[in-house]
Amino acid sequence: MIAFLEISKKSFLFPFSLLWEWVYIIRRSFYKYGLFSRHYFKVPIISVGNVTFGGTGKTPFTIWLTQTFSESKKNCVVLTRGYKGNLEHSSGLIMGEEAFKSDPKDFGDEPLLIARRLQHGAVVVGKKRSHNLQYYFNKLKPDVVLLDDGFQHLKLFQDFSIVLFDALLPLDQYKVAPLGYLREGLSALADADAVVISRADQVDQKKLQDLRDFISVYTRPNLPWAEIKYAATGIYNTHFKKMYEMKELKGRKIIAVAAIASPESFFRSLESYGAELVERVVFPDHYYFTAHDVNELLVRAASEGAILVTSEKDMVKIRRISLDARILFIDINVEFLKGEEELKDKIKNILA
């Protein structure tokens, strides 16, 4: 009976999925053949995006890219939507030390996280990214523009497009919404210039190869491929002071708090270092914590004899309401398992 209902549900949703896919195919075609206009700028534009809903780890990878640009002393402007921030439908600018003073309710959590790590450049927030780049271009004079979550943002011409895939997403979920998790059909990957598989350390080699075989049907030949993991560098408090090495978590009781798209990956990371998760607290993605939330979590941690640990993205929001040093977060960096030099070489060619 359950199987019959599942088949009926898929049959009902299939026409909507097909319609959604064709809308996006037509949209890409219109931009490709000039029926919809694109904006061009005299500066390299590199995008980081995906074809799925949910978190693939774009923000840590975007931060890695900004650090790569910094190594070449390039002035980088990051264009990002500022999802759920008050400035999402207008524009806002974050430069230098402003990242520590700006309110995530205005800019969103991810832009502030990126801005805190950005060494040379600025973050521009707002849904109309082409318009915002034009508005701030002369003021910022970028050497390179990084388009965050930009694979579907076709209005702005992209010189190099990097598409991320989450190794943990089952292959049977690669169907166009509402049947699956795809934003658009995989035929869109013909426009990708590089593919990066995130969380590649959390699956076996067969799963990785199956995913690679599945994707490569839709990509151009000889595309750069990379595999990455998100490596924790330590546990820090609200003042960015390092409190624990990761190995020191072994046997410690932890209340883990996450308001991110993939909380299970965050919890799994803590457990991989031997931490005892006495409680997993999940809030909706991009949730704005209240003082009541934070106080309640601290009380629960004290009663359990546990430490309170959250993600770096969540700490951006928590710091606006509390600087209590008992609140800790994991610092995460990207580490390449494969393909780093090839990808760097391609990016250097674009910058040159």
Side-chain angles (χ1 to χ4, degrees):
M1 182 64 178
I2 294 174
F4 174 76
L5 290 173
E6 187 65 28
I7 292 171
S8 297
K9 179 183 176 183
K10 288 181 179 178
S11 299
F12 173 73
L13 294 176
F14 178 76
F16 298 99
S17 177
L18 189 62
L19 177 62
W20 186 311
E21 182 171 2
W22 273 103
V23 166
Y24 271 87
I25 288 173
I26 293 168
R27 178 175 177 267
R28 278 193 178 270
S29 298
F30 280 10
Y31 276 106
K32 188 173 291 186
Y33 296 111
L35 296 174
F36 289 169
S37 63
R38 278 182 164 174
H39 293 164
Y40 294 79
F41 290 85
K42 293 180 179 179
V43 64
I45 295 179
I46 298 174
S47 82
V48 178
N50 54 15
V51 290
T52 58
F53 294 104
T56 53
K58 289 190 300 296
T59 301
F61 188 78
T62 298
I63 290 169
W64 174 83
L65 276 172
T66 65
Q67 292 168 341
T68 301
F69 300 146
S70 292
E71 290 171 6
S72 304
K73 306 299 183 192
K74 297 293 185 182
N75 181 34
C76 173
V77 168
V78 181
L79 298 178
T80 183
R81 179 171 176 167
Y83 184 64
K84 288 192 175 180
N86 294 331
L87 297 173
E88 180 182 359
H89 298 285
S90 55
S91 68
L93 178 65
I94 314 170
M95 298 180 69
E97 293 298 317
E98 293 172 10
F100 297 92
K101 305 171 187 174
S102 303
D103 192 335
K105 285 189 176 180
D106 290 329
F107 291 92
D109 46 21
E110 290 166 352
L112 292 184
L113 182 56
I114 295 168
R116 190 176 76 80
R117 301 278 200 102
L118 189 60
Q119 297 176 33
H120 300 93
V123 176
V124 176
V125 168
K127 188 177 180 180
K128 296 179 180 178
R129 282 168 272 192
S130 303
H131 175 270
N132 290 340
L133 178 58
Q134 190 168 20
Y135 183 79
Y136 288 109
F137 194 87
N138 290 332
K139 177 180 180 178
L140 299 175
K141 296 182 172 59
D143 297 314
V144 58
V145 172
L146 185 51
L147 186 57
D148 178 47
D149 196 13
F151 192 57
Q152 285 77 32
H153 194 80
L154 305 178
K155 197 173 187 67
L156 187 59
F157 177 79
Q158 302 163 25
D159 294 274
F160 194 75
S161 185
I162 303 168
V163 180
L164 268 68
F165 287 85
D166 185 351
L168 295 176
L169 184 67
L171 289 183
D172 62 7
Q173 294 299 318
Y174 282 92
K175 298 181 180 67
V176 177
L179 276 177
Y181 279 82
L182 287 179
R183 293 183 179 188
E184 59 180 320
L186 291 173
S187 61
L189 291 175
D191 293 335
D193 297 300
V195 171
V196 175
I197 300 176
S198 66
R199 302 189 179 96
D201 60 319
Q202 297 185 33
V203 299
D204 58 37
Q205 286 301 312
K206 183 181 184 307
K207 173 79 183 289
L208 280 174
Q209 190 58 50
D210 287 347
L211 177 58
R212 186 167 182 151
D213 291 343
F214 180 72
I215 296 168
S216 61
V217 173
Y218 302 93
T219 59
R220 301 195 307 273
N222 303 317
L223 214 65
W225 285 72
E227 295 172 7
I228 61 173
K229 68 175 184 177
Y230 300 117
T233 65
I235 304 292
Y236 293 75
N237 67 14
T238 50
H239 304 284
F240 305 110
K241 178 183 177 182
K242 195 170 192 176
M243 304 302 293
Y244 300 101
E245 299 290 347
M246 296 308 297
K247 63 184 179 181
E248 294 180 86
L249 294 186
K250 188 173 183 178
R252 287 188 181 274
K253 291 183 177 181
I254 287 178
I255 290 182
V257 183
I260 55 179
S262 301
E264 283 305 319
S265 180
F266 169 68
F267 300 145
R268 197 179 293 116
S269 177
L270 288 169
E271 289 179 320
S272 71
Y273 289 96
E276 179 190 345
L277 269 59
V278 296
E279 193 172 350
R280 295 170 170 82
V281 184
V282 179
F283 291 91
D285 192 18
H286 300 284
Y287 177 77
Y288 288 106
F289 294 87
T290 66
H292 175 75
D293 294 329
V294 174
N295 290 335
E296 187 178 86
L297 288 166
L298 285 170
V299 169
R300 280 151 69 178
S303 67
E304 294 278 359
I307 58 176
L308 183 64
V309 181
T310 189
S311 72
E312 187 177 7
K313 190 172 90 167
D314 292 322
M315 180 58 85
V316 168
K317 294 169 291 187
I318 290 173
R319 285 188 84 251
R320 294 300 302 174
I321 53 176
S322 176
L323 290 173
D324 193 311
R326 293 174 296 170
I327 308 166
L328 309 176
F329 72 92
I330 300 183
D331 181 78
I332 298 290
N333 282 334
V334 164
E335 283 189 13
F336 277 77
L337 304 173
K338 287 182 182 178
E340 179 176 12
E341 291 309 313
E342 184 183 8
L343 184 59
K344 276 188 171 181
D345 286 344
K346 289 287 184 181
I347 291 170
K348 285 176 183 176
N349 287 338
I350 295 295
L351 296 181

